């Protein structure tokens, strides 16, 4: 079991104000999935100003509610109207208290996760402790994979994948949907060879009627198939897992530790994608990791096109012992020409776990100002 580091490291902070920043970052190339095509990342950043210094968190919600029910404007509103006032009302908080302070709000996990991360960053910066140390990281660097969008054609797909292989990525993930599955998987398997790590992600694009078709993926030696069916339908994933040799891995469905344990117990998932934003924060993500480690279920760190703020925290999370598969922890340049923090650069297919206090990443506030799509909101005690 991993235990969160709690000794002197976790002195509480008093939150004096919450600042909400909304910025737009162009993507280096459009990213297409079964739910749509993204050309820019519309990001909500949270800065908490405390008696012991500032902390930053990143909200992973997308501009539109197409991956999850959460979306940027909704997260912005729920933080402004509910979460920030509750945090300002609490006299002193540790990151570990934040989920309790927010429990009166149902759902809105991505919004809650962003604020909790900002509090944790402030608290650990004040204590001089890194996210990795606090989480219980067991390795100084993590193996990186890359998520490859749906391409206009196979030639462009193969060119993109070749580029990532040349950059040293240790695992390729292809986005699939009906009409874009067997052929791209076959072509990429042929390109990268039988031993290279390859997996697919359907982002809920299939139904149980497609089980016989999905079984045809078995011949390509995939690490896993991620989230073929809608997030509420655990039973459909159980049926697929019985029918297919390729391991089934849930992403969208896994919203908490209890849901993860239930899905594992029902044999709906034999590998789990952990995304802190989707489950309400890094502390809940660690509890899912612990539950999976107890059950010998491998986990890997998902990605949501994070800036350096979220990327730094993800890399720290991916350094926990149960993260035995490469994550979607790509280099900054996979998505952005310029990052909002120092860039994350792959070395031999790995990213280093930041060692500095808090996330260890420094926010370039001049870029936050330059890329803003509206003035910052400042929420202070009433
Ligand atoms: C997934 N991520 O694993 C997601 C989905 C995803 C890296 O494949 C903007 C913001 C665009 C978040 C596209 C990866 C996105 C996004 C895809 C998340 O399912
Ligand atoms: Mg996914």
């Amino acid at each position: 079991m991993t235990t969160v580091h709690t000794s002197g490291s976790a002195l509480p902070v008093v939150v004096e104000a919450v600042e909400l920043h909304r910025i737009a970052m162009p993507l280096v190339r459009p990213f297409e999935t079964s739910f749509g095509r993204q050309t820019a990342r519309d990001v909500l950043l949270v800065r908490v100003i405390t008696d012991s210094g500032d902390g930053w968190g990143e909200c992973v919600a997308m501009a539109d509610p197409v991956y999850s029910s959460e979306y940027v404007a909704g997260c912005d509103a729920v933080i402004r109207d509910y979460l920030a006032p509750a945090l300002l009302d609490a006299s002193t908080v540790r990151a570990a208290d934040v989920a309790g302070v927010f429990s009166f709000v149902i759902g809105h996990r991505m919004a809650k996760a962003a604020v909790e991360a900002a509090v944790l960053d402030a608290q650990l910066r004040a204590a001089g402790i890194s996210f990795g140390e606090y989480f219980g990281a067991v390795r100084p660097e993590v193996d990186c994979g890359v998520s490859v969008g749906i391409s206009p054609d196979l030639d462009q797909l193969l060119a993109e994948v070749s580029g990532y292989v040349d950059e040293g990525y240790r695992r390729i993930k292809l986005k699939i949907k009906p009409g874009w599955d067997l052929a791209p998987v076959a072509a990429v398997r042929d390109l990268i060879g039988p031993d290279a790590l390859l997996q697919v992600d359907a982002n809920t694009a299939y139904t149980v009627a497609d089980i016989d078709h999905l079984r045809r993926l078995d011949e390509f030696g995939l690490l896993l198939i991620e989230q073929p069916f809608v997030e509420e339908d655990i039973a459909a994933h159980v049926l697929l897992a019985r029918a297919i040799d390729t391991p089934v891995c849930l992403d969208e469905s896994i919203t908490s530790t209890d849901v993860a344990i239930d899905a594992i117990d029902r044999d709906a998932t034999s590998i789990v994608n952990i995304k802190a934003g989707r489950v309400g924060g890094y502390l809940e993500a660690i509890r899912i990791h612990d539950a999976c480690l107890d059950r010998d279920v491998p986990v890997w760190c998902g990605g949501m096109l994070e800036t350096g703020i979220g990327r730094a925290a993800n890399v720290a999370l991916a350094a926990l012992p149960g993260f035995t598969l490469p994550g979607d922890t790509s280099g900054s340049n996979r998505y952005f020409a310029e990052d909002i923090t120092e860039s994350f650069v792959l070395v031999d297919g790995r990213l280093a776990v930041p060692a500095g206090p808090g996330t260890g990443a420094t926010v370039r506030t001049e870029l936050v100002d330059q890329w803003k799509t509206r003035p910052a909101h400042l929420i202070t005690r009433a």
Side-chain angles (χ1 to χ4, degrees):
M1 271 301 251
T2 314
T3 40
V4 166
H5 192 310
T6 48
S7 56
S9 66
L11 291 175
V13 298
V14 179
V15 178
E16 313 280 10
V18 177
E19 234 174 49
L20 294 175
H21 298 268
R22 193 166 170 178
I23 63 172
M25 292 170 70
L27 295 175
V28 292
R29 49 162 34 109
F31 188 36
E32 185 172 332
T33 64
S34 60
F35 53 79
R37 188 178 156 92
Q38 315 291 315
T39 54
R41 186 74 177 96
D42 181 341
V43 197
L44 180 66
L45 301 177
V46 180
R47 178 193 216 163
V48 294
I49 295 152
T50 83
D51 63 333
S52 326
D54 296 356
W56 286 89
E58 168 174 357
C59 182
V60 300
M62 298 176 56
D64 303 302
V66 292
Y67 162 86
S68 96
S69 63
E70 293 191 80
Y71 65 109
V72 174
C75 292
D76 190 34
V78 84
I79 295 173
R80 188 191 59 216
D81 296 340
Y82 297 97
L83 306 182
L87 195 61
L88 292 164
D89 269 353
S91 47
T92 65
V93 282
R94 295 177 178 85
D97 306 323
V98 171
V101 171
F102 292 167
S103 64
F104 75 103
V105 171
I106 306 305
H108 294 284
R109 292 182 176 86
M110 293 178 182
K112 291 175 176 176
V115 183
E116 183 194 87
V119 171
L120 184 59
D121 187 43
Q123 170 190 317
L124 295 187
R125 279 178 199 271
I129 290 175
S130 69
F131 270 44
E133 284 173 80
Y134 180 83
F135 289 169
V138 295
R139 51 184 90 92
E141 66 229 347
V142 303
D143 286 356
C144 296
V146 61
S147 177
V148 185
I150 292 163
S151 273
D153 59 56
L154 289 178
D155 286 346
Q156 291 181 59
L157 175 72
L158 295 180
E160 185 177 346
V161 170
S162 301
Y164 296 138
V165 169
D166 291 346
E167 285 185 64
Y169 283 102
R170 290 169 177 260
R171 182 224 69 196
I172 301 291
K173 158 168 143 182
L174 299 183
K175 292 293 189 177
I176 59 167
K177 66 175 183 182
W180 182 265
D181 47 28
L182 302 175
V185 170
V188 170
R189 174 54 85 199
D190 197 46
L191 175 77
I192 66 183
D195 298 330
L197 304 184
L198 179 63
Q199 64 191 53
V200 293
D201 186 359
N203 289 112
T204 78
Y206 295 88
T207 74
V208 282
D210 298 311
I211 288 180
D212 280 338
H213 175 72
L214 293 172
R215 279 164 46 107
R216 297 176 63 192
L217 290 168
D218 275 343
E219 68 177 282
F220 301 110
L222 302 177
L223 273 176
L224 58 90
I225 175 169
E226 186 179 347
Q227 198 74 39
F229 310 130
V230 290
E231 64 180 78
E232 295 82 4
D233 201 347
I234 301 296
H237 291 95
V238 174
L239 291 178
L240 178 66
R242 282 187 196 140
I244 198 169
D245 292 330
T246 304
V248 175
C249 171
L250 292 176
D251 171 2
E252 285 88 330
S253 295
I254 305 297
T255 51
S256 69
T257 308
D258 288 343
V259 170
I261 291 171
D262 178 55
I264 292 165
D265 284 349
R266 291 163 67 184
D267 294 319
T269 192
S270 52
I271 297 174
V272 172
N273 168 330
I274 299 184
K275 289 176 178 165
R278 196 189 63 230
V279 304
Y282 285 92
L283 302 184
E284 183 70 4
I286 292 169
R287 286 189 284 271
I288 295 177
H289 160 271
D290 292 349
C292 290
L293 194 57
D294 272 352
R295 291 162 179 77
D296 286 321
V297 170
V299 302
W300 56 281
C301 185
M304 291 290 284
L305 282 56
E306 287 87 351
T307 72
I309 300 171
R311 194 165 302 280
N314 284 349
V315 171
L317 181 68
L320 294 187
F323 285 82
T324 53
L325 294 170
D328 283 341
T329 47
S330 304
S332 299
N333 71 346
R334 157 68 184 87
Y335 296 111
F336 310 116
E338 205 175 358
D339 208 333
I340 202 78
T341 64
E342 47 281 89
S343 278
F344 282 75
V345 179
L346 255 64
V347 176
D348 194 22
R350 300 193 173 97
L351 287 179
V353 179
T359 61
T362 303
V363 177
R364 300 166 69 188
T365 51
E366 72 287 359
L367 289 182
V368 174
D369 188 56
Q370 193 179 318
W371 293 343
K372 66 177 183 281
T373 52
R374 61 110 216 264
H377 288 318
L378 183 71
I379 305 131
T380 52
R381 203 165 279 109

